[in-house]
Amino acid sequence: LKAREVEVALSAVAFLEMLITSASCLTFDDFEDTKKSAALSALHRTMSIIHTNVLASSLVSVCEAASQEVVGPTINLIKSILKHSQWDQIEGSIGSALNSNQFKLGDAAREIMFDNLKQCSMNGYPPANFDGIIAEIWQMHQTDDTGAIAGGEAVAEFVKRYFRQQAT
């Protein structure tokens, strides 16, 4: 990404993260019933889009050529969405994103990513190695080295390391 595109991406990620955090704190107690119902309906539609489309787009961006400056904030956005989502509402979006052609690391790496996203959503907080897993997924997608493709040495090491951690 060019400098301006990075700046725009960082601003968008920051905005979305603040929106998610703010929405979880909103109350409409002072609204009359019809306005309260309309406001809640609009908020739920907006949050549903964020919980599904933005989450899927963020996961796909980790597998594409996103700039390194955007990866950390994107990981934070993903964690925020997962924290404020119900697993059954986002499971399909996560599955679609990880089963897309952009995810090139194979089934075992996909399963590690899926399980960590699920754990983060179900527990309300990420596993200790969450940021590292996503950062490594991003790093492996940035190289043209065949070791980063499913079945390659880098992916095999990643799978060996994180499958062992999941088992403990």
Side-chain angles (χ1 to χ4, degrees), residues 69-121:
E69 297 94 341
V70 180
V71 174
T74 301
I75 291 170
N76 291 335
L77 175 61
I78 291 168
K79 289 189 295 189
S80 187
I81 293 170
L82 293 170
K83 178 181 176 184
H84 294 95
S85 300
Q86 297 295 317
W87 177 248
D88 61 337
Q89 296 171 333
I90 60 173
E91 181 178 8
S93 293
I94 290 172
S96 293
L98 296 180
N99 286 313
S100 71
N101 290 335
Q102 284 79 18
F103 194 91
K104 298 177 175 25
L105 307 180
D107 292 339
R110 181 181 295 111
E111 184 178 337
I112 291 168
M113 182 79 155
F114 186 86
D115 288 346
N116 276 273
L117 293 164
K118 182 177 182 178
Q119 185 178 349
C120 184
S121 176

Side-chain angles (χ1 to χ4, degrees), residues 116-165:
N116 276 273
L117 293 164
K118 182 177 182 178
Q119 185 178 349
C120 184
S121 176
M122 301 285 280
N123 295 338
Y125 59 89
N129 56 4
F130 187 84
D131 292 24
I133 287 173
I134 296 180
E136 282 190 59
I137 294 282
W138 175 81
Q139 184 64 46
M140 286 186 284
H141 278 93
Q142 300 312 300
T143 181
D144 290 333
D145 180 11
T146 57
I149 304 300
E153 187 177 313
V155 175
E157 287 297 318
F158 171 86
V159 168
K160 182 179 175 182
R161 183 171 50 258
Y162 289 114
F163 262 147
R164 184 174 50 240
Q165 286 182 5

Side-chain angles (χ1 to χ4, degrees), residues 36-49:
K36 182 177 183 176
S37 177
L40 284 170
S41 177
L43 178 63
H44 288 303
R45 280 193 311 274
T46 301
M47 296 313 293
S48 177
I49 290 167

Side-chain angles (χ1 to χ4, degrees), residues 1-13 67 69-70:
L1 295 177
K2 296 178 184 171
R4 178 71 180 137
E5 292 169 327
V6 169
E7 183 180 319
V8 169
L10 289 172
S11 294
V13 168
S67 173
E69 297 94 341
V70 180

